[in-house]
Amino acid sequence: DGKTYIVSVHGERYPLKKENNTFRVVALGGSTTKNFVDGAHYPLLLQRMLQEKYPEKNIEVINVGNDAYATTHIITLLAFDVISWKPDLVIASENFNDLSAAYWPHLRYDYSNKYGTAFYMPNYAERLTKTNILFNWSSFYWLVKEKLSARADTRALEQKNIIQRISYGSEPPQGAVEIFSRNLRAFLAITRANDIPVILGTQPLNQARERFEEHFRLKEYNKIVRYPAHEEFIAHFNLFNDTIKKIARTANAYAIDHNAILNGDPEYFSDYVHMNKRGLEKLADDYYRFIMVKNIITK
């Protein structure tokens, strides 16, 4: 049709040039924003709710959350892509991916101590073996290779107790809160300079220790990461959520405390931090109600 489209993380298409009478929302974050269950994610559910409320408008809620994204990633995405899409509202929610960088050795301002490692950067030398190059064309070869590799990795990891914990005290390692605060302020400075309203959401958490350990017990990078005692982790996570609310207040941005609303209810969670279908519906409904109370669309 000759148009250029924005493609969301789950494949929904939106015209790059925002059409008339359109209210465009962009949702940024990590895997908890990307989170897809039974054919839906919270931005898509929110889009349906808002469209029903405002049938005279074209409502778009574009999901650009992605696995492992921290504030460093969403700042880049905002600055180089999202502001060009002319959004009428931006929603951002991030906590754990930033916090966890502080548990990797030698915390750096850009989180390269975590994201610059082989666990997150592709190792092209390992991929470009003679056999891999020979069968590069074969999707079946790569499927079998990946499955065998995953099984081998799982067997190796199951033989080890690789979740390692040390005590950090009631606050995460030095500099973690300052970096997170700086990044949130940078994010809001970009939206403010472009006159884009923002809702910052705190990240909900299932506080059960066993759910955390179920999720992380087979992560290969645990051999270098040092997690805090579980009670300390909860305190650190809550501190990061408090930082979100504090930065929103000082920057005159909207904030919604999902962590307080969901209150750790396990019925909403599929693991320690990701939502099940009921949780996604609750998340979307909370954003919807917040947008209605604040009259964001009609302003």
Side-chain angles (χ1 to χ4, degrees):
D1 58 10
K3 290 184 179 179
T4 303
Y5 291 92
I6 302 163
V7 181
S8 81
V9 69
H10 293 298
E12 298 97 1
R13 299 200 311 169
Y14 303 87
L16 178 62
K17 184 177 180 181
K18 188 172 67 175
E19 298 178 344
N20 293 335
N21 200 36
T22 293
F23 190 89
R24 173 170 285 176
V25 185
V26 179
L28 300 103
S31 58
T32 55
T33 297
K34 179 183 177 182
N35 201 12
F36 186 83
V37 180
D38 291 342
H41 46 91
Y42 98 72
L44 185 60
L45 296 172
L46 176 59
Q47 177 177 284
R48 293 170 182 170
M49 294 176 184
L50 292 174
Q51 189 65 77
E52 183 176 351
K53 177 66 176 179
Y54 298 100
E56 74 283 2
K57 291 181 177 290
N58 178 39
I59 303 294
E60 300 174 343
V61 185
I62 306 172
N63 187 347
V64 291
N66 221 323
D67 294 336
Y69 270 24
T71 52
T72 47
H73 300 92
I74 67 173
I75 289 170
T76 303
L77 185 56
L78 175 71
F80 291 102
D81 283 297
V82 172
I83 60 172
S84 299
W85 304 343
K86 307 298 182 185
D88 299 289
L89 174 66
V90 163
I91 298 173
S93 181
E94 171 44 36
N95 179 329
F96 180 77
N97 291 332
D98 284 69
L99 174 59
S100 65
Y103 305 143
W104 290 63
H106 313 300
L107 176 61
R108 294 176 181 169
Y109 289 118
D110 60 359
Y111 297 153
S112 59
N113 63 304
K114 173 182 176 181
Y115 293 105
T117 65
F119 303 104
Y120 286 96
M121 298 291 287
N123 189 329
Y124 295 108
E126 288 185 0
R127 186 177 177 89
L128 295 177
T129 64
K130 290 181 179 179
T131 305
N132 288 352
I133 293 171
L134 179 63
F135 290 99
N136 186 58
W137 56 271
S138 173
S139 58
F140 177 74
Y141 167 78
W142 286 105
L143 177 64
V144 171
K145 183 177 178 64
E146 288 173 5
K147 286 185 176 296
L148 291 175
S149 177
R151 288 177 182 175
D153 289 344
T154 299
R155 285 196 299 269
L157 292 171
E158 283 176 342
Q159 295 173 4
K160 302 176 182 178
N161 180 16
I162 60 172
I163 290 185
Q164 303 180 75
R165 294 185 183 268
I166 63 173
S167 177
Y168 291 96
S170 60
E171 295 188 3
Q174 186 175 6
V177 175
E178 290 77 9
I179 295 170
F180 186 55
S181 300
R182 179 207 63 182
N183 290 357
L184 291 173
R185 286 193 294 268
F187 184 91
L188 293 175
I190 295 170
T191 56
R192 186 167 54 249
N194 290 275
D195 297 318
I196 305 169
V198 179
I199 301 174
L200 294 182
T202 66
Q203 198 169 66
L205 182 72
N206 179 342
Q207 297 191 9
R209 175 174 182 157
E210 57 269 22
R211 300 313 299 271
F212 181 94
E213 294 186 346
E214 282 172 7
H215 187 83
F216 283 102
R217 68 185 181 87
L218 297 181
K219 300 293 185 183
E220 186 179 355
Y221 53 67
N222 286 352
K223 61 188 178 183
I224 64 171
V225 176
R226 300 294 183 269
Y227 299 100
H230 191 68
E231 295 76 15
E232 293 177 0
F233 165 68
I234 300 299
H236 301 172
F237 190 89
N238 289 338
L239 179 58
F240 264 48
N241 273 339
D242 288 343
T243 300
I244 293 169
K245 294 183 287 184
K246 178 182 176 181
I247 296 298
R249 286 194 303 269
T250 58
N252 198 29
Y254 297 112
I256 179 170
D257 193 352
H258 292 298
N259 193 41
I261 295 170
L262 273 69
N263 195 33
D265 188 340
E267 293 189 13
Y268 293 123
F269 293 86
S270 59
D271 59 29
Y272 79 109
V273 74
H274 297 95
M275 302 282 105
N276 56 25
K277 184 177 181 180
R278 184 180 177 190
L280 292 179
E281 291 170 346
K282 174 64 173 170
L283 205 62
D285 186 63
D286 289 342
Y287 275 122
Y288 171 79
R289 292 174 182 273
F290 188 88
I291 290 169
M292 292 299 100
V293 169
K294 299 298 182 180
N295 296 313
I296 294 174
I297 292 181
T298 56
K299 284 186 176 179

